């Protein structure tokens, strides 16, 4: 019974994390309002939630603001690239539906675009978590995002489902949208942590083998 009220037990530790996530969601939303800064805000969000998954989190405001400033340039460039690619795919899908071609051709073209859209979405899910975790060039981040997304489809689809579920909740309870998105990042961080750990272990083994 005494252990129930111990602030260091697993239940209270988890509740502390959820409380931090609540404030993270508000910060993420406020820092994303200019839209162009959404990439840096998302990177900062993931940097904290990934540390939560490792039980290494610190103070919310201090960690978030430092990560925002540190990753602003790369995150903004990547965010613009993500938006541009998404807009291009959406425009292609719209054009496919509008162009006067035979039904079979339209179905095939739209199916191909849907597959490309899924690959794009799963790859995009990894971009900002990778940026928050590793100090890498933009090209390498994009390459690793694609490789990890396609090489760990079960994790990628699970993370996508998490975001869809919280997206649906956000639709019905709009006022909690920032918190739901932060919760999605929090729960998905445990999956990303697993994937990143596998690649880090593989890299270390390769280095030891080369030595």
């Amino acid at each position: 019974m005494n252990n129930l009220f111990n602030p260091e037990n697993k239940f209270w530790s988890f509740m502390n994390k959820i409380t931090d996530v609540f404030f993270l969601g508000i910060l993420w939303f406020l820092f994303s309002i200019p839209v162009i800064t959404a990439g840096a805000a998302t990177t900062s969000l993931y940097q904290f939630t990934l540390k939560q998954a490792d039980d290494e989190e610190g103070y919310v405001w201090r960690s978030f603001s430092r990560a925002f400033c540190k990753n602003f340039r790369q995150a903004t460039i990547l965010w613009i690239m993500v938006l541009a690619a998404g807009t291009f795919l959406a425009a292609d899908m719209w054009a496919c539906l509008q162009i006067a071609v035979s039904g079979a051709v339209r179905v095939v073209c739209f199916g191909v675009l849907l597959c490309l859209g899924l690959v794009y979405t799963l790859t995009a899910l990894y971009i900002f978590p990778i940026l928050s975790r590793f100090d890498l060039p933009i090209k390498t981040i994009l390459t690793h995002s694609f490789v990890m997304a396609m090489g760990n489809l079960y994790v990628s689809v699970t993370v996508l489902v998490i975001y869809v579920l919280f997206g649906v909740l956000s639709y019905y309870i709009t006022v909690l949208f920032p918190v739901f998105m932060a919760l999605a990042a929090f729960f998905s961080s445990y999956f990303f942590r697993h994937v990143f750990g596998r690649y880090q272990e593989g890299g270390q083994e390769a280095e030891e083998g080369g030595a």
Side-chain angles (χ1 to χ4, degrees):
M1 187 68 176
N2 290 334
N3 190 50
L4 177 64
F5 298 99
N6 182 353
E8 295 184 0
N9 71 27
K10 292 184 178 180
F11 173 77
W12 291 115
S13 176
F14 178 76
M15 292 307 297
N16 285 334
K17 290 179 187 292
I18 296 300
T19 302
D20 286 343
V21 169
F22 176 85
F23 291 110
L24 272 173
I26 295 174
L27 286 175
W28 170 80
F29 180 74
L30 292 175
F31 277 71
S32 297
I33 288 177
V35 180
I36 195 67
T37 59
T42 303
T43 303
S44 302
L45 171 65
Y46 266 112
Q47 184 159 311
F48 193 90
T49 56
L50 284 167
K51 286 183 177 179
Q52 285 184 309
D54 292 330
D55 293 321
E56 297 176 354
E57 67 269 25
Y59 294 103
V60 176
W61 166 251
R62 184 185 302 172
S63 298
F64 189 94
S65 58
R66 284 181 178 175
F68 185 88
C69 294
K70 175 186 175 183
N71 298 298
F72 182 81
R73 179 180 172 277
Q74 276 191 306
T76 302
I77 294 173
L78 286 165
W79 173 239
I80 292 172
M81 293 173 70
V82 168
L83 284 179
T87 302
F88 180 77
L89 277 172
D92 282 349
M93 289 181 182
W94 181 84
C96 182
L97 294 174
Q98 300 302 315
I99 294 176
V101 293
S102 64
V105 173
R106 179 177 296 174
V107 169
V108 171
C109 290
F110 195 74
V112 171
L113 288 172
L114 279 179
C115 290
L116 289 174
L118 180 60
V119 171
Y120 157 82
T121 301
L122 296 180
T123 300
L125 287 174
Y126 283 78
I127 290 175
F128 300 108
I130 288 177
L131 175 58
S132 71
R133 191 78 158 186
F134 307 104
D135 185 13
L136 299 169
I138 288 176
K139 183 179 179 181
T140 305
I141 291 173
L142 293 173
T143 303
H144 284 7
S145 297
F146 174 76
V147 171
M148 289 184 184
M150 296 301 102
N152 301 274
L153 274 177
Y154 65 100
V155 173
S156 305
V157 172
T158 301
V159 171
L160 181 60
V161 169
I162 290 173
Y163 269 98
V164 169
L165 290 176
F166 279 105
V168 171
L169 287 174
S170 298
Y171 176 80
Y172 288 104
I173 314 175
T174 309
V175 70
L176 292 180
F177 166 71
V179 177
F180 286 144
M181 290 301 99
L183 284 170
F186 172 72
F187 288 113
S188 64
S189 288
Y190 286 88
F191 293 95
F192 287 130
R193 174 175 172 265
H194 170 70
V195 173
F196 296 163
R198 286 180 54 201
Y199 283 89
Q200 285 177 305
E201 289 173 4
Q204 288 174 356
E205 290 175 1
E207 288 179 4
E208 291 174 359

